[in-house]
Amino acid sequence: EDQVTQSPEALRLQEGESSSLNCSYTVSGLRGLFWYRQDPGKGPEFLFTLYSAGEEKEKERLKATLTKKESFLHITAPKPEDSATYLCAVQAAGGYNKLIFGAGTRLAVHP
Amino acid sequence: DAMVIQNPRYQVTQFGKPVTLSCSQTLNHNVMYWYQQKSSQAPKLLFHYYDKDFNNEADTPDNFQSRRPNTSFCFLDIRSPGLGDAAMYLCATSRDVSATGTGYTFGSGTRLTVV
């Protein structure tokens, strides 16, 4: 069964304190791995898509990496406005390619 | 701006009273999805439409139905809401079922409360 597990569930950082969020997955053939940001009471907002092991994508203070079993979202020198829930989702190859989400990591960055 | 719009943002309904949530899109995407997201949980796919073809997830309760009268609109009907149906309901779209590139585009969601 395709599955996505994110850790930690919640993370509290001081402004400027870099860290990483983890997304472990099991899927029968990976078509793509997606990272989304979700603010309270809002829908997920697309951040990155990764397709193959070794791939990296960057956007401002965020960098996403991918291996055959997991993905990391690295946050460098975070600011309070980076506070949100970060969701990881995978899309399996073959058949109907729905997105399977993890439960997310709730990130709080304090000044 | 092209977008996905959900109405209402907040919906309060009585236990057992039918309720309809609305989603519209200006992206002209072929596929529309409905997800249920409970507090601190992963979004769970309920069903999707590829054009006019309806696809139900195997574990979606019969209490949940959907309609897509045209490309732009999709509705989620909950026939007899129970307390366990209180959740955020997310509508999403994609150009096709492969969802490569940017994946899905989500609306802001409807927060459903059942009293």
Side-chain angles (χ1 to χ4, degrees):
Chain A
E1 181 183 349
D2 299 333
Q3 197 169 356
V4 178
T5 302
Q6 292 188 246
S7 63
E9 288 185 14
L11 181 62
R12 178 189 172 115
L13 297 174
Q14 289 297 121
E15 184 172 2
E17 179 187 3
S18 301
S19 188
S20 298
L21 314 182
N22 177 263
C23 171
S24 297
Y25 64 91
T26 54
V27 65
S28 51
L30 181 69
R31 177 183 284 270
L33 184 141
F34 301 81
W35 282 98
Y36 285 85
R37 169 188 171 129
Q38 186 174 27
D39 291 303
K42 295 189 176 182
E45 177 185 345
F46 171 78
L47 291 174
F48 304 108
T49 308
L50 301 167
Y51 296 103
S52 57
E55 189 175 1
E56 299 182 352
K57 294 270 180 77
E58 285 190 67
K59 180 180 179 180
E60 296 180 351
R61 295 177 291 282
L62 301 177
K63 178 180 175 181
T65 62
L66 181 65
T67 73
K68 289 186 177 181
K69 293 185 178 181
E70 58 191 351
S71 176
F72 291 93
L73 184 65
H74 307 278
I75 304 177
T76 302
K79 298 182 178 181
E81 53 262 41
D82 295 321
S83 299
T85 294
Y86 291 86
L87 295 169
C88 172
V90 297
Q91 184 183 46
Y96 164 56
N97 299 315
K98 70 182 180 182
L99 291 188
I100 300 167
F101 282 87
T105 294
R106 295 190 310 279
L107 175 66
V109 182
H110 296 269
Chain B
D1 288 343
M3 58 179 61
V4 180
I5 300 170
Q6 291 189 243
N7 286 304
R9 289 294 309 278
Y10 302 92
Q11 176 74 57
V12 180
T13 190
Q14 291 181 335
F15 182 94
K17 183 175 181 180
V19 65
T20 294
L21 309 183
S22 168
C23 177
S24 64
Q25 55 126 346
T26 58
L27 297 160
N28 203 32
H29 282 173
N30 291 319
V31 195
M32 296 187 77
Y33 310 82
W34 281 103
Y35 278 82
Q36 179 192 63
Q37 186 180 27
K38 297 186 177 181
S39 181
S40 299
Q41 294 186 21
K44 179 181 178 297
L45 182 63
L46 297 174
F47 25 61
H48 77 278
Y49 272 94
Y50 182 76
D51 196 11
K52 294 181 180 180
D53 293 332
F54 177 72
N55 297 271
N56 203 29
E57 292 299 299
D59 56 355
T60 298
D62 292 339
N63 197 28
F64 292 86
Q65 303 287 323
S66 186
R67 297 169 284 133
R68 189 179 184 185
N70 54 53
T71 301
S72 300
F73 285 87
C74 195
F75 300 98
L76 170 61
D77 300 309
I78 308 176
R79 294 193 293 187
S80 181
L83 297 178
D85 296 327
M88 173 77 87
Y89 289 88
L90 297 167
C91 175
T93 71
S94 67
R95 186 171 301 281
D96 56 43
V97 291
S98 66
T100 54
T102 60
Y104 300 168
T105 301
F106 283 88
S108 293
T110 294
R111 170 74 65 187
L112 179 68
T113 300
V114 181
V115 297

